[in-house]
């Protein structure tokens, strides 16, 4: 499933929710959640898995933070992301690889849009 397919599915569910047509069956059986606390101004937090899900990705707000670039402290927009996962189902190496993929896609959205 590509990012575009996921986005289409999310948009369809969002439209059902707006029309008050979403059902329990539409929301049941998920294995992964994306939580966007950033829309509420969240800087950082640890998302909690809701069984039977295997993982949850918490995406937080974008805030200006001091970072080091080329030996200099500069102000850049930063967004913290956090992944909580069930170690019985997901190995740490794959989880970190997934987080690195998300980081790269957020920093350069062409990766998502062009399915690179």
């Amino acid at each position: 499933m590509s990012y575009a397919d996921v986005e289409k599915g999310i948009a369809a569910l969002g439209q059902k929710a707006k029309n008050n047509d979403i059902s329990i069956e539409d929301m049941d059986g998920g294995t992964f959640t994306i939580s966007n606390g950033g829309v509420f101004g969240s800087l950082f937090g640890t998302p909690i898995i809701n069984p039977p899900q295997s993982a949850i990705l918490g995406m937080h707000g974008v805030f200006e933070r001091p970072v080091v670039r080329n030996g200099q402290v500069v102000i850049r927009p930063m967004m913290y992301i956090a992944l909580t996962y069930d170690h019985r189902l997901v190995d740490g190496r794959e989880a970190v690889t997934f987080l690195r993929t998300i980081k790269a896609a957020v920093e350069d959205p062409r990766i998502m849009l062009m399915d690179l």
Side-chain angles (χ1 to χ4, degrees):
M1 181 177 266
S2 71
Y3 285 111
D5 293 333
V6 171
E7 187 65 30
K8 288 176 187 174
I10 291 170
L13 286 172
Q15 191 60 48
K16 285 179 93 172
K18 286 179 186 176
N19 295 336
N20 283 331
D21 290 331
I22 199 159
S23 67
I24 294 295
E25 290 77 23
D26 288 323
M27 298 180 287
D28 191 32
T31 58
F32 186 82
T33 295
I34 300 173
S35 176
N36 185 5
V39 297
F40 304 110
S42 170
L43 175 63
F44 189 79
T46 302
I48 305 298
I49 300 171
N50 294 311
Q53 298 194 351
S54 58
I56 181 169
L57 177 69
M59 303 184 79
H60 303 281
V62 178
F63 298 96
E64 290 188 341
R65 308 281 293 171
V67 296
V68 177
R69 293 287 186 258
N70 299 321
Q72 300 293 315
V73 176
V74 294
I75 303 300
R76 293 285 189 263
M78 294 273 301
M79 178 179 76
Y80 290 103
I81 58 175
L83 180 66
T84 302
Y85 53 95
D86 186 338
H87 283 272
R88 297 171 296 178
L89 303 170
V90 180
D91 184 65
R93 181 178 136 200
E94 280 70 31
V96 171
T97 300
F98 172 73
L99 276 176
R100 291 176 59 97
T101 301
I102 295 296
K103 176 185 178 289
V106 168
E107 289 176 345
D108 186 358
R110 294 176 297 177
I111 292 171
M112 290 186 291
L113 299 173
M114 300 180 83
D115 203 22
L116 300 175

